[in-house]
């Protein structure tokens, strides 16, 4: 968003600068024409009253147009000044947003490094635990884990399965406390753990 606002401010500033430049050139062109007409008027080369009258009429029209263009030029300068202020604010906002983004990215990279280390540690512990479990039970666990989107074991919370929320009978809760038997939730089929 800050980049978009900065790009828009730059485009507006370029447009204002171009408008200011074209009005300045138009005023200069009229000024040159006025000076040329004035020198022609006072040079003594024009003798016909019609030519002098046409030149004076053109002079009046040019003066009027010059005043209009000078007014437009002043407005263009004001617009340009405002565009410069808006662009500088957009540049400051962009710099601040980039700094925040870089800081946030640095924090995320640090968090990613910590999570990666935790993952590797947990994976090492998992492999050690899986090695101590009989192969058939480990295979059943892995199969259940793949079927249940990574959650094969669930705890009992308030006499309910924490994964699916299904109510459990007191006998099912008691059976889940057995260290030798594996008990499954009758609703979702996950392994129940009573703690």
């Amino acid at each position: 968003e800050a980049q978009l606002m900065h790009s828009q401010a730059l485009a507006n500033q370029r447009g204002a600068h171009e408008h200011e430049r074209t009005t300045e050139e138009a005023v200069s062109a009229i000024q040159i024409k006025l000076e040329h007409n004035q020198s022609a008027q006072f040079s003594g080369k024009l003798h016909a009253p019609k030519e002098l009258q046409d030149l004076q009429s053109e002079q009046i029209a040019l003066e009027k147009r010059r005043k209009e263009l000078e007014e437009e030029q002043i407005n263009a300068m004001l617009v340009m000044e405002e565009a410069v202020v808006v662009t500088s604010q957009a540049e400051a906002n962009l710099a601040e947003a980039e700094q925040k983004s870089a800081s946030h990215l640095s924090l995320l990279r640090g968090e990613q490094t910590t999570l990666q280390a935790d993952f590797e540690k947990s994976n090492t512990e998992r492999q050690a635990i899986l090695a101590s479990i009989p192969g058939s039970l480990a295979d059943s666990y892995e199969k259940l884990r793949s079927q249940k989107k990574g959650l094969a074991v669930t705890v009992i919370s308030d006499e309910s399965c924490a994964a699916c929320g299904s109510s459990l009978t007191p006998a099912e809760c008691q059976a889940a406390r057995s260290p030798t038997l594996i008990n499954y939730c009758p609703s979702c089929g996950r392994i129940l753990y009573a703690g």
Side-chain angles (χ1 to χ4, degrees):
E1 188 178 323
Q3 285 175 337
L4 183 64
M5 289 175 66
H6 180 251
S7 298
Q8 186 62 47
L10 282 175
N12 290 345
Q13 184 177 342
R14 282 192 293 272
H17 177 70
E18 183 62 24
H19 184 63
E20 181 183 20
R21 187 184 64 75
T22 55
T23 54
E24 186 177 336
E25 287 173 358
V27 168
S28 294
I30 287 181
Q31 187 61 38
I32 290 168
K33 182 75 172 158
L34 281 168
E35 289 170 5
H36 180 271
N37 284 358
Q38 241 177 358
S39 69
Q41 191 176 6
F42 296 113
S43 68
K45 293 179 183 175
L46 299 175
H47 300 292
K50 176 75 174 145
E51 288 179 333
L52 281 172
Q53 187 179 9
D54 289 346
L55 193 61
Q56 285 175 342
S57 295
E58 186 181 9
Q59 249 346 58
I60 291 168
L62 286 172
E63 285 287 345
K64 181 180 178 188
R65 181 66 184 139
R66 184 181 70 176
K67 285 180 184 177
E68 289 170 356
L69 284 171
E70 284 174 345
E71 188 69 34
E72 191 175 332
Q73 186 180 14
I74 290 169
N75 289 335
M77 287 177 182
L78 292 172
V79 168
M80 179 62 183
E81 286 176 9
E82 186 179 326
V84 167
V85 169
V86 169
T87 301
S88 340
Q89 289 171 344
E91 285 171 356
N93 289 342
L94 179 59
E96 183 182 343
E98 286 173 343
Q99 180 187 10
K100 284 180 181 178
S101 178
S103 175
H104 186 64
L105 185 61
S106 176
L107 288 173
L108 288 175
R109 285 193 177 133
E111 187 177 335
Q112 182 182 26
T113 302
T114 302
L115 289 172
Q116 186 65 35
D118 289 348
F119 173 76
E120 289 170 8
K121 179 182 172 194
S122 296
N123 200 32
T124 303
E125 290 172 359
R126 181 179 184 276
Q127 294 304 321
I129 292 169
L130 275 175
S132 68
I133 297 174
S136 62
L137 290 177
D139 290 342
S140 294
Y141 168 78
E142 286 299 330
K143 185 178 177 185
L144 188 59
R145 188 169 167 258
S146 67
Q147 292 172 347
K148 301 297 181 181
K149 298 180 182 177
L151 184 62
V153 179
T154 183
V155 295
I156 295 174
S157 176
D158 295 329
E159 296 185 357
S160 297
C161 172
C164 68
S166 174
S167 294
L168 301 170
T169 66
E172 289 168 333
C173 293
Q174 187 61 36
R177 288 186 175 80
S178 171
T180 56
L181 297 173
I182 295 178
N183 291 282
Y184 298 91
C185 172
S187 179
C188 69
R190 289 181 175 90
I191 298 169
L192 293 172
Y193 175 72

